[in-house]
Amino acid sequence: MGKEKIILTGDRPTGRLHIGHYVGSLKRRVDLQNSGEFDKMFVFIADSQALTDNIDNPEKVRQNVIEVALDYLACGLDPEKTTIFIQSQIPELCELTFYFMDLVTVSRLQRNPTVKTEIQMRNFETSIPVGFFTYPISQAADITAFRATTVPVGEDQEPMIEQAREIVRRFNHIYGETLVEPEILLPDNAACLRLPGTDGKAKMSKSLGNCIYLSEEADEVQKKVMSMFTDPDHLRVQDPGKIEGNTVFTYLDAFCRPEHFERYLPDYPNLNELKAHYQRGGLGDVKVKRFLNSIMQETLEPIRNRRKEFEKDIPAIYEMLRKGCDVARAAAADTLSDVRKAMKINYFDDAELIAEQVKKFNAEK
């Protein structure tokens, strides 16, 4: 029997999920879940990790756990096929993180490009919380606790997965083959690597107010699409327009499919023709935005409607999460038992150790 194929991935609960999450990871997760290629799939709500830079605002994290769970279910994650759980409810992860800390140097953490970027983003340069600084280590614990073989993430997380692989190799080198080395699974669509905000800023983020949320009402989505950043020099319809850096076209790259033209814009056979007309001049932004709005509404409406159904029974969502935590905890405990055995700190299960000590102390008499 070959090694089990196991996926692990998750999100920080600092707000409702938006379309950047959808194209970057959620849609792919649902496809992977339904592909039948994987033996197990774990998706977690990373509340402990969210607290590393929201420690003074635990209410924000607490309120958003349920929001993220609802978004997961609305997008099509199925608790029958995927174990959905909350990170803080699995204490084994803390213990594993603690042991892994001995395998990583401070200078190695300082070199991690993802950590560097995140520290700058949060203005932590002068006072980095230790928990935030060591988050690659806790991420390695999350991955290895569930023996994940595959971690689907964006390119920006590559250094994190590399660090996890290093930790696994070092542990296995010192203590013998115990942990599974994970592989990274990058997005397969270039447009999905990073969706910009509606204002054209590089990152869609709650704090910049440039997100379209998965749970937003139709009129709100339309308002955001119609006010989206395009080519600032494309002032009149007849002017040639630029596609590069034009948010509307970036979104079309991510969401548009050939059948959308038949449905909403039959004057054009495909996206390339639409782009070519825009670049030649003679195509106004409003027409392109209306087309994008039709696509966004078609994509988001079923998600929004499913979410409303799930919202009718919130206790059932918590129950689903509780069951997921039970399953996840059993899996993590299993790994931890192997880790303790490898590290020789399973004193009470180690009959050999006890026999050896008996012998040693008898000999001394």
Side-chain angles (χ1 to χ4, degrees):
M1 188 188 129
K3 189 167 66 171
E4 272 193 312
K5 291 178 79 177
I6 300 173
I7 279 186
L8 176 99
T9 180
D11 297 279
R12 292 155 52 99
T14 52
R16 292 175 294 160
L17 300 182
H18 52 62
I19 58 169
H21 295 115
Y22 182 73
V23 296
S25 58
L26 287 171
K27 188 173 181 300
R28 182 101 187 266
R29 281 178 206 172
V30 175
D31 293 344
L32 290 168
Q33 164 193 273
N34 299 335
S35 71
E37 275 178 55
F38 293 87
D39 300 292
K40 288 180 192 157
M41 182 154 164
F42 293 94
V43 178
F44 70 104
I45 300 174
D47 60 334
S48 310
Q49 202 189 305
L51 286 168
T52 60
D53 56 332
N54 288 286
I55 197 66
D56 50 355
N57 192 1
E59 199 53 40
K60 171 179 163 186
V61 176
R62 192 169 84 110
Q63 294 295 338
N64 281 306
V65 165
I66 193 79
E67 297 280 5
V68 172
L70 286 164
D71 285 332
Y72 281 170
L73 295 170
C75 284
L77 283 180
D78 176 356
E80 297 296 315
K81 299 178 184 170
T82 295
T83 302
I84 303 172
F85 68 96
I86 304 171
Q87 187 183 26
S88 64
Q89 304 306 298
I90 318 296
E92 287 78 4
L93 299 176
C94 293
E95 189 174 339
L96 205 48
T97 302
F98 186 67
Y99 300 145
F100 285 177
M101 282 181 179
D102 300 331
L103 304 173
V104 181
T105 64
V106 170
S107 63
R108 174 64 184 92
L109 281 177
Q110 282 166 332
R111 284 202 312 276
N112 187 314
T114 312
V115 176
K116 271 187 186 166
T117 312
E118 298 266 352
I119 284 169
Q120 281 165 346
M121 256 172 58
R122 290 172 172 76
N123 301 322
F124 275 167
E125 282 94 338
T126 49
S127 54
I128 310 164
V130 172
F132 190 81
F133 185 58
T134 57
Y135 118 54
I137 303 177
S138 87
Q139 203 164 27
D142 297 332
I143 294 166
T144 53
F146 302 100
R147 305 182 202 273
T149 52
T150 309
V151 185
V153 286
E155 272 180 328
D156 59 327
Q157 292 294 309
E158 248 177 310
M160 290 297 201
I161 307 302
E162 194 38 54
Q163 188 137 33
R165 290 161 63 89
E166 277 175 32
I167 289 172
V168 168
R169 288 197 287 263
R170 184 121 199 264
F171 187 97
N172 289 347
H173 175 70
I174 298 170
Y175 300 112
E177 286 297 315
T178 311
L179 299 171
V180 175
E181 202 174 316
E183 295 293 333
I184 189 169
L185 182 64
L186 292 167
D188 48 0
N189 171 353
C192 297
L193 291 179
R194 179 50 67 87
L195 204 60
T198 50
D199 54 359
K201 296 263 185 344
K203 192 172 180 185
M204 194 176 278
S205 81
K206 291 169 280 288
S207 52
L208 293 172
N210 61 2
C211 306
I212 294 176
Y213 293 100
L214 293 172
S215 49
E216 260 174 331
E217 293 298 337
D219 54 346
E220 201 47 44
V221 173
Q222 182 177 355
K223 204 159 71 189
K224 289 184 176 179
V225 171
M226 297 313 285
S227 63
M228 213 176 248
F229 179 83
T230 57
D231 171 4
D233 301 325
H234 185 242
L235 303 173
R236 297 170 307 171
V237 171
Q238 59 267 41
D239 294 342
K242 277 206 297 285
I243 303 293
E244 297 73 37
N246 185 327
T247 310
V248 177
F249 282 97
T250 310
Y251 279 43
L252 285 173
D253 281 331
F255 287 97
C256 174
R257 293 193 307 277
E259 62 267 26
H260 288 138
F261 284 93
E262 295 157 38
R263 240 171 279 168
Y264 307 119
L265 203 57
D267 330 353
Y268 298 89
N270 56 40
L271 188 52
N272 287 341
E273 293 289 324
L274 185 74
K275 285 179 177 177
H277 190 182
Y278 189 81
Q279 287 169 309
R280 278 200 306 277
L283 175 57
D285 286 329
V286 171
K287 187 170 183 176
V288 185
K289 285 178 175 180
R290 283 200 182 122
F291 177 50
L292 175 61
N293 179 56
S294 302
I295 296 171
M296 296 310 303
Q297 300 295 356
E298 182 190 310
T299 307
L300 295 175
E301 188 187 16
I303 297 174
R304 185 169 56 233
N305 292 343
R306 278 198 299 268
R307 197 184 203 268
K308 284 180 177 157
E309 284 306 303
F310 286 117
E311 284 170 5
K312 290 177 183 169
D313 191 354
I314 292 299
I317 309 293
Y318 279 107
E319 184 53 27
M320 178 273 294
L321 287 169
R322 194 182 65 76
K323 282 186 180 148
C325 289
D326 288 346
V327 171
R329 189 153 186 203
D334 196 45
T335 304
L336 196 65
S337 159
D338 289 352
V339 163
R340 289 166 147 266
K341 190 175 172 188
M343 293 176 72
K344 300 196 177 336
I345 52 175
N346 60 333
Y347 305 108
F348 309 124
D349 303 327
D350 191 345
E352 249 175 68
L353 168 74
I354 298 169
E356 193 186 293
Q357 300 295 347
V358 167
K359 224 172 163 169
K360 175 182 153 186
F361 286 99
N362 281 343
E364 284 172 10
K365 280 176 187 163

